[in-house]
Structure formats: C-alpha cells, structure tokens
C-alpha cells in the first residue's frame, strides 16, 4: 500500500532580507516588540541604553519598542531603541544608565 503524502508545515515567516522577524516579549517592565538585526545590514553607530556603549556598524543587535503605545511607522522612530542582546536580557537586573 503506498504511503499517503503529508503536507509539511509551512516555515515561519521571514522578514525582508537583512531585517529580522518581529516578536513580542512580555516582562515585568511591559510588552516589547523585538527585532533582531544582523550586523551586515547596520550602517550607523547606535548607543545602547543598557550599557551606554556604542553599537558600531556591523555588530548584530536588537531593535526594541513598546508593543502598546504611540508607535506607528510615522511617529515611532523616537520610541525605538537599539540594544545589545545581553543588555536587553539583563535590563531587569540593572538600573538605568
């Protein structure tokens, strides 16, 4: 008896080339939308709010913004922050800089 063909599950959606897939992180300090960026797509230097150090071009990092609030493509640039992944993960264990 032949085997029945089974459809494979669809892979998770991918963002545009160079952009990560957005995910929502729920924590004690609120809900955040987190996008992982590969280093090869960044062209600017950013300041990490967790450690107050520079994130130079070419370094993988996170772009984070509140999931609830005034964020929209037009006016949300002021709410987005670029974080080192370790600094964002440790944000509840250290004070603001």
């Amino acid at each position: 008896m032949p085997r029945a063909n089974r459809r494979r599950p669809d892979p998770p959606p991918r963002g545009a080339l160079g952009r990560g897939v957005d995910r929502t992180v729920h924590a004690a300090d609120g809900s955040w939308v987190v996008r992982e960026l590969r280093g090869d797509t960044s062209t600017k230097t950013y300041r990490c709010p967790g450690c107050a150090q520079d994130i130079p071009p070419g370094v993988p990092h996170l772009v984070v913004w509140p999931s609830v609030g005034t964020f929209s493509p037009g006016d949300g640039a002021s709410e987005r922050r670029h974080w080192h992944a370790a600094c964002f993960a440790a944000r509840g264990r250290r004070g603001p800089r």
Side-chain angles (χ1 to χ4, degrees):
M1 178 175 234
R3 292 173 55 184
N5 289 333
R6 292 187 188 104
R7 180 178 160 93
R8 291 184 182 181
D10 291 333
R14 293 183 56 183
L17 184 62
R19 295 180 188 251
V21 176
D22 296 349
R23 61 185 167 94
T24 303
V25 174
H26 303 283
D29 61 346
S31 295
W32 303 93
V33 178
V34 178
R35 178 181 297 158
E36 296 182 36
L37 294 183
R38 299 185 326 222
D40 59 352
T41 59
S42 67
T43 59
K44 293 172 54 179
T45 298
Y46 298 99
R47 174 78 57 172
C48 175
C51 65
Q53 299 294 316
D54 286 342
I55 303 173
V59 174
H61 64 281
L62 304 175
V63 179
V64 180
W65 63 89
S67 65
V68 177
T70 61
F71 182 80
S72 71
D75 65 358
S78 63
E79 294 185 35
R80 289 186 310 220
R81 298 292 179 259
H82 294 253
W83 290 74
H84 294 109
C87 294
F88 184 72
R91 72 192 182 285
R93 297 189 302 268
R94 57 169 78 159
R97 296 212 175 230

